[in-house]
Every structure is written in structure tokens, then in C-alpha cells.
Amino acid sequence: MTNFAELGLCPPLLQAVDALGFTQTTPIQAGALPAMLAGHDVRAQAKTGSGKTAAFGLALLAGLDASQTRLNALVLCPTRELADQVSKDLRALARFIPNVKILSLCGGISLRPQLASLSHTPHIAVGTPGRILDLIRRQALDLSALSTLVLDEADRMLDMGFLDAVETILKRAPKQRRTWLFSATYPAEISALSTQFQNQPQKIMVDSQHDAEVITQQFFRVERSTKPAAVMALLVSRQPASCLIFCNTKIDARQLTASLREHGVAAMALHGDLDQRDREDTLMQFANGSCRVLVATDVAARGLDIKALPMVIAYELPNDPDVHIHRIGRTGRAGGTGLALTLVAQQEMGRLVGIEAQADAAIQWSELPVWTRGTTLPAPTMQTLVIDAGRKDKLRPGDILGALTGAAGLDAKQIGKIDVFATRAYVAIDRRMLKKALQGLRGGKIKGRKFRLRTL
């Protein structure tokens, strides 16, 4: 572990690191930051929650000249949610550097506001491959001065069919640049991408296995037909504040969600059939505590950034043991502990071989708790209020908090997470106070203006 002060970072970055409460580097930061700061290409492999965004973010900002109005760095992400999170993290790191412009450019939203934003060139652009390529082809995004290109979660971009778009962007970027590649796994296509587009990259790998003192893994033998009841048994016995359940297919995700709802669990599903608005609403409700149980496919869950997730359940085993590692790595983050529970039917037993080989240990089976029908999880304490206004309207979290504690008369303790995006804001409110919050906001104003409100 390395102290950030030993890395030679400029005072504004050290000030940001201190304000964020970072004291020592994580293994991926300790391994990758010196190489990136020295100007090398990097090919890094690390499990989720390893601190990779801060690693490449600090390196990008350390070499940034904010007085030059040009696109200095481009970060490609597989999903809009991850891109928004990366943008938010980069802004937090850049908060003490004057005049740094960081722009999020993603598909699923109107192109026109993004074209307007690009009339003032950003220093750093973060976006999804499809929208970035579209903007390049429209000559709205100029890569001619680009000095660094980052591929974040490259394996998920492959899973989501973005490989061709990524290759085209890499070909259009200047040859004299730094290319930093971050991926949880390295399938053949991503390794080939590295070989073709990186210049003698420094290879950084941290332990892919999860610390048993941080994440407790348990495996349960069950019949496939009894898996929904097994999930109920685990939820009712453990009573997690929140739980992410992974399914291999969207059909299973839909069916399991329906089964849980029948038994009184306010579960939500996240899969590829959701449109962008429904996906964002679902993610926000889970992230802010308005939904306790989220059932998701692996690809759909990419970009979901929940720091305190106490429990994950693998409804079935994936074919790839690396995917299993990625799943359980969703819990036990940000200094907390986690519980990873896996249901295994007889026909899935063969998939355990790869998991045992990676762990270099045999699977230890646990006994499934007994579930009494009629028992369920309590409803979440929070509910989500959506304000149809955001950063474009100069709206900040403090403005919303002030309106709710002022005109609406709520106590600050009754207000949870506030997330402000370009055109919308999500607010978690104690569900017992939701009606009062709506009445207060509709009768008053936020920052002197009235905005459309809805609840989820």
C-alpha cells in the first residue's frame, strides 16, 4: 500500500484525495498509477470495486493543462450509468483544479443537448462507444489533440456488442497517445485489442480472488424447480437491507421477480428489454434504498455502483468462472463485509470445476434455511421522488434539500440519497413522509421555480 503523497501528485489533487477520505492507495492504484503517471500504456486487470476509476482519473488530471481548450482525454464505458458515475468521480477529483470541463456523452438521450454542449470543447469526455462514434462521424467531437484514451470495463463492451465501435474509435484517435485498458477479465478479443492498439503496455494484475474475511461465500444444493422458494428462504432468514440477485437470462430474471412479488417481496427486475427511462428509474430506486431486492442479468447490472451492498445471490451458476468472481465482488466493498450465496442445481455441478480451480479449494456446502410460507421481507423504508429538472436547470442537491426541509417541512433525517443528472433528479424520501413532501414542493418552489414531480 502506498500513501498518495508519495506519488508526486500536484497539491489540488492531493487536496481532492484528502477531501474524499482516501488515505492509502488500493492495490490497483498502487500498481497502475506510477506507470500511468510515467506516460506508459497500461493493461490492468482487477475485480470490481478495486478503485480503478480513481487510478486513471488521477493520472488523467495530473497531466491536464486546463488552460488549453482541447479534448485531452476520452473514457469509453459500456453503459450510460457507468459513464455517469465515472464523470461524477472525475469531477470530484478535479474539484480544486479551476476550469476543468468534463462532459458525459451517452446514448439513450437526445443528441441535441450534447451537440450544444460540445460547442465548448471539454477537456475530458466520458461516454458510450455508440454515441461517441456518432459524434465523431458528425465532426462534433474532435480527437486530433487527444493524448489519452481509456477503455473502462472492456470485457463488458465486448459482451454488449461494442467491439466494432471501439476498434473504429481507436483507429481514428491519434497514434501518439496513451491507451489505458481496464477489464475484469481478458477474453481473446480484448487481448487482441490490446496487442493491436497498445504500445508495450505495463501489465498490472491484482488478486482476482476475494478475501474470505471480507466476503463470506456459501453454496447450496437445490432442485431447479425449488430455486424461487430457496431465494425466499435466504432473503427471509438473512433480512438484508439490500440484495442483488443474478440470473443468467432475462426470462429467468422476469420469472423470479414475478415469483418474489407473489410472496410479498417488492422486487424489481433489470434486464435488456427495459427502455432507458425504466432502466434508470430501476437503478436509482435500488441505489437509494427504495427497492431492497433487484433481480438482474450480468450485462444489465453493469454500471450499477452500489458501495454498501450486504448480500448477493447467484440464482444459477454462470458458464465462466470469471463471471462468478465478478458477481460476488459486488458485495463487501468500501470497507464493508458481504455475503455471497450461490444456488446450484444438479445440472450445474459441472460448472463448479472452474470455480474450484480458480479458488484452489473444494466447494463447501451449506444447509438451506427453512422458509415458512407467508413470511416475507418488510417493505423498504424509502420511496423515490423524481424531479424533471437537473444540472441543465442549474439544480444542485443542496437546492432540493433546502426546499424539502424548508417549504415542505421535512427533517433532514427523512431525506436520503439525492442524485442530480442532466435533466432529472432522484430523491429518496421516508415513504411515510412522501405525501407531505409532494404537497410542500407543489405548494412551494425549488430555487424559485416550479418543476414537474412524479413518484416511483
Side-chain angles (χ1 to χ4, degrees), residues 345-380:
Q346 182 61 41
Q347 52 267 54
E348 300 170 66
M349 289 293 182
R351 301 176 194 171
L352 288 172
V353 175
I355 293 172
E356 289 179 320
Q358 284 205 346
D360 195 24
I363 295 298
Q364 299 297 312
W365 297 100
S366 298
E367 186 175 348
L368 194 69
V370 176
W371 171 54
T372 304
R373 287 185 177 272
T375 56
T376 190
L377 277 183

Side-chain angles (χ1 to χ4, degrees), residues 17-184:
V17 164
D18 184 62
L20 291 167
F22 299 162
T23 53
Q24 290 184 311
T25 58
T26 65
I28 192 62
Q29 291 163 0
L33 254 170
M36 291 188 290
L37 290 170
H40 296 293
D41 280 10
V42 162
R43 168 178 161 163
Q45 181 173 3
K47 62 191 180 189
T48 187
S50 60
K52 56 185 170 61
T53 304
F56 67 70
L58 287 169
L60 287 179
L61 293 165
L64 183 69
D65 182 358
S67 66
Q68 299 291 319
T69 308
R70 63 187 184 190
L71 182 64
N72 188 268
L74 174 63
V75 183
L76 296 180
C77 300
T79 66
R80 178 182 172 186
E81 292 77 26
L82 181 59
D84 283 338
Q85 184 61 46
V86 168
S87 299
K88 182 178 178 182
D89 291 345
L90 292 181
R91 291 188 185 100
L93 291 170
R95 61 190 295 188
F96 299 112
I97 304 175
N99 305 317
V100 175
K101 183 177 181 182
I102 299 167
L103 204 56
S104 183
L105 302 167
C106 303
I109 58 175
S110 174
L111 184 66
R112 185 173 296 176
Q114 294 180 0
L115 291 171
S117 296
L118 285 168
S119 62
H120 301 285
T121 303
H123 297 100
I124 301 173
V126 184
T128 49
R131 178 53 57 90
I132 293 294
L133 185 55
D134 185 19
L135 291 167
I136 292 170
R137 286 172 170 162
R138 291 173 182 267
Q139 298 185 339
L141 191 65
D142 181 11
L143 303 187
S144 61
L146 193 73
S147 63
T148 309
L149 200 155
V150 182
L151 303 184
D152 192 12
E153 297 205 0
D155 53 348
R156 295 306 109 189
M157 287 193 261
L158 171 65
D159 289 345
M160 299 178 73
F162 287 137
L163 187 61
D164 288 346
V166 170
E167 287 184 347
T168 303
I169 293 167
L170 285 165
K171 289 175 182 175
R172 294 201 177 200
K175 292 191 185 304
Q176 297 301 315
R177 65 166 193 273
R178 300 174 298 180
T179 306
W180 301 337
L181 180 58
F182 288 81
S183 190

Side-chain angles (χ1 to χ4, degrees), residues 7 63 134 167 189 279 305 353 431 444:
L7 291 168
D134 185 19
E167 287 184 347
E189 295 90 341
R279 175 182 168 82
D305 188 65
V353 175
R431 62 175 55 245

Side-chain angles (χ1 to χ4, degrees), residues 269-280 282:
L270 186 69
H271 51 72
D273 285 350
L274 297 182
D275 62 27
Q276 188 66 33
R277 172 66 69 89
D278 288 341
R279 175 182 168 82
E280 288 176 1
T282 299

Side-chain angles (χ1 to χ4, degrees), residues 382 400-402 404-406 409-418 427-430 433:
M382 310 302 280
I400 299 169
L401 182 64
L404 286 168
T405 55
L410 269 66
D411 190 291
K413 295 178 181 178
Q414 297 166 329
I415 303 164
K417 198 166 183 279
I418 300 176
V427 190
I429 295 175
D430 186 322
M433 306 304 297

